[in-house]
Amino acid sequence: MPLIALKRVGLTFGLKPLLDGVDFQIDRGERVCLIGRNGEGKSSMLKIIEGVIKQDSGEVWIDSGVRIATLAQELPRDMTTCVYDVVASGVPHVGAKLAEFHHLLTQTDDISMQRLGDLQTELDAVDGWGLDNKVNTIIDKLNLPADAPLNSLSGGWMRRVLMGKTLVSDPDLLL
């Protein structure tokens, strides 16, 4: 059974049809590569799948419950953020708490210790430790320096960090 299917999809910008009657399908476990010249509709087709833009014609079907993640093409703006924070942000409802907990672990003052206790309670309630394990596993598998600020990394390493952020959400389909 397919994860996504496009049937006779059309998209036009101005007078030029960018996509004209496209039929396309991705099945679970399948890896697909779109190739073509600049301006031929590859990114537009991915944006249709992602739901960022709407096709002019045809049908887009996405299996219910499918988690789609997109690898960001632009590098983060806050270059002082550390690698762990960026990867953890791939789990939006818990990522910020995990990042705060991660940084407070090095503090020993009373206010930080109180906040650590509060965060621990909050993370216990939402399986935060399982997600922390997932974040750390992805950081390890991608061989990323967890505490390094982004501005200390090359562009290629920053892209690897963005891949970690995308993978931590455990998508069914990665664009």
Side-chain angles (χ1 to χ4, degrees):
M1 173 169 250
L3 290 176
I4 63 117
L6 280 65
K7 302 271 189 218
R8 299 173 310 283
V9 168
L11 180 68
T12 302
F13 287 115
L15 299 174
K16 180 183 177 190
L18 197 53
L19 301 174
D20 187 16
V22 171
D23 289 324
F24 182 73
Q25 177 175 310
I26 298 177
D27 295 321
R28 190 168 298 282
E30 192 171 27
R31 295 178 185 186
V32 177
C33 177
L34 299 177
I35 57 172
R37 295 181 299 215
N38 290 346
E40 295 295 320
K42 300 176 302 293
S43 295
S44 296
M45 190 168 110
L46 293 177
K47 287 178 183 178
I48 288 171
I49 293 169
E50 189 181 357
V52 173
I53 61 175
K54 178 97 171 104
Q55 74 276 13
D56 295 329
S57 61
E59 200 178 315
V60 176
W61 179 85
I62 300 174
D63 194 13
S64 65
V66 169
R67 291 179 314 273
I68 298 175
T70 303
L71 179 60
Q73 298 300 303
E74 294 182 23
L75 297 176
R77 294 175 193 241
D78 181 5
M79 299 300 282
T80 59
T81 302
C82 82
V83 168
Y84 182 94
D85 296 359
V86 174
V87 175
S89 71
V91 194
H93 61 285
V94 179
K97 290 178 185 183
L98 287 173
E100 184 180 359
F101 189 89
H102 179 80
H103 292 290
L104 284 173
L105 286 174
T106 62
Q107 306 299 315
T108 57
D109 62 277
D110 291 341
I111 294 172
S112 296
M113 298 307 282
Q114 176 60 46
R115 181 64 184 141
L116 269 173
D118 295 343
L119 280 170
Q120 182 169 355
T121 302
E122 293 173 29
L123 291 168
D124 284 342
V126 293
D127 187 32
W129 307 118
L131 295 169
D132 178 61
N133 186 46
K134 186 183 283 189
V135 169
N136 285 310
T137 298
I138 287 173
I139 286 172
D140 287 344
K141 284 187 177 188
L142 293 177
N143 199 27
L144 296 170
D147 294 313
L150 290 181
N151 60 10
S152 70
L153 303 176
S154 69
W157 277 97
M158 282 189 248
R159 295 216 180 278
R160 190 180 279 203
V161 171
L162 293 174
M163 176 64 81
K165 175 185 176 180
T166 305
L167 291 174
V168 80
S169 67
D170 199 22
D172 297 307
L173 179 61
L174 174 62
L175 304 176

